[in-house]
Amino acid sequence: QLQLQESGPGLVKPSETLSLTCTVSSGSISSGDYYWGWIRQPPGKGLEWIGTRSNSGSTYYNPSLKSRLTISVDTSKNQFSLRLTSVTAADTAVYFCARHRRDWGNYFDSWGQGTLVTVSS
Amino acid sequence: DIVMTQSPLSLPVTPGEPASFSCRSNQSLLHSSGYNYLDWYLQKPGQSPQLLIYLGSTRASGVPDRFSGSGSGTDFTLKISRVDAEDVGVYFCMQALQTPFTFGPGTKVDIK
């Protein structure tokens, strides 16, 4: 069964860059026509889709974050990453990585456990 | 952006009894393929969300058949035929028709 695990700093200072990595195991990130995405959840709140990237390089970003966001895929390491610049307290959230299926509809069928990132000085 | 709403926001349930809750969008989620691009996720306490239903009514792999999704256009329903104690958590719907994908606020289900 595919497994995903987020990693990265749990504390980031305001105006700095948030960087997270998702390591995929029990499956290849480059097999199949899969996409790889990030979703976040502020403490006690709902879910927000951040963005998605395919193995072939197609990207789809939430317009509300697009100017600050980069999602990349490293097939050699079986990882994909999120980079969010100029963070503020509003970016404090649990960040989930997930596999995004686009064969029929759009859905996230495998999720990481999530990692809490706090933006604070 | 497509706005998603859910009701009720909180639902106490009795094990063994049925339960249902609603999800609505402010735009039709009917794709040109004829399918509705609507997903349901369950986030159990302390866990990440898990996929239950996609395309409005297709159960994801491993999801018990007591869960069923229905609806079309802008109105959707998730039904649990017989609630199990392990079904507690927050149920989110997500429109998957266009980016940015957007989620409803969730329905929190707990045991009476």
Side-chain angles (χ1 to χ4, degrees):
Chain A
Q1 183 177 355
L2 192 75
Q3 294 184 338
L4 297 90
Q5 177 68 58
E6 304 87 352
S7 59
L11 181 64
V12 181
K13 289 182 168 57
S15 80
E16 295 191 346
T17 296
L18 182 162
S19 295
L20 295 175
T21 296
C22 183
T23 301
V24 178
S25 56
S26 300
S28 172
I29 201 170
S30 56
S31 67
D33 187 22
Y34 295 133
Y35 287 65
W36 305 94
W38 292 92
I39 300 100
R40 69 181 182 180
Q41 185 172 36
K45 295 187 178 180
L47 298 164
E48 179 183 30
W49 173 74
I50 297 172
T52 287
R53 185 184 177 104
S54 74
N55 298 333
S56 59
S58 300
T59 54
Y60 303 88
Y61 293 159
N62 192 320
S64 68
L65 300 168
K66 186 175 183 177
S67 64
R68 302 190 288 130
L69 179 64
T70 303
I71 297 176
S72 57
V73 173
D74 187 338
T75 55
S76 68
K77 295 182 178 179
N78 227 35
Q79 295 176 334
F80 61 105
S81 300
L82 173 149
R83 186 171 179 269
L84 187 66
T85 62
S86 304
V87 297
T88 69
D91 295 309
T92 293
V94 175
Y95 285 75
F96 298 101
C97 60
R99 185 172 70 176
H100 176 184
R101 298 286 297 270
R102 299 195 69 202
D103 41 3
W104 285 100
N106 288 291
Y107 54 95
F108 298 96
D109 68 338
S110 294
W111 295 63
Q113 65 183 29
T115 187
L116 175 61
V117 178
T118 301
V119 178
S120 175
S121 55
Chain B
D1 298 3
I2 295 178
V3 177
M4 306 298 292
T5 56
Q6 291 185 245
S7 62
L9 296 183
S10 180
L11 181 66
V13 297
T14 301
E17 295 295 309
S20 67
F21 26 94
S22 171
C23 172
R24 290 181 174 172
S25 58
N26 68 347
Q27 298 179 37
S28 175
L29 302 184
L30 184 61
H31 186 264
S32 56
S33 63
Y35 291 95
N36 288 280
Y37 276 32
L38 187 282
D39 306 334
W40 288 97
Y41 298 87
L42 165 60
Q43 186 173 29
K44 295 182 179 181
Q47 296 185 19
S48 56
Q50 60 186 84
L51 176 68
L52 295 177
I53 301 282
Y54 61 99
L55 293 176
S57 60
T58 302
R59 273 190 305 276
S61 176
V63 174
D65 60 7
R66 63 177 182 274
F67 290 95
S68 63
S70 63
S72 184
T74 61
D75 290 338
F76 300 89
T77 301
L78 182 68
K79 295 181 180 179
I80 310 175
S81 60
R82 294 176 307 279
V83 172
D84 190 283
E86 68 179 17
D87 299 336
V88 298
V90 182
Y91 290 79
F92 294 98
C93 59
M94 186 195 89
Q95 68 82 13
L97 183 66
Q98 64 186 54
T99 58
F101 303 128
T102 46
F103 293 85
T107 292
K108 185 176 182 179
V109 172
D110 58 12
I111 301 298
K112 281 183 180 176

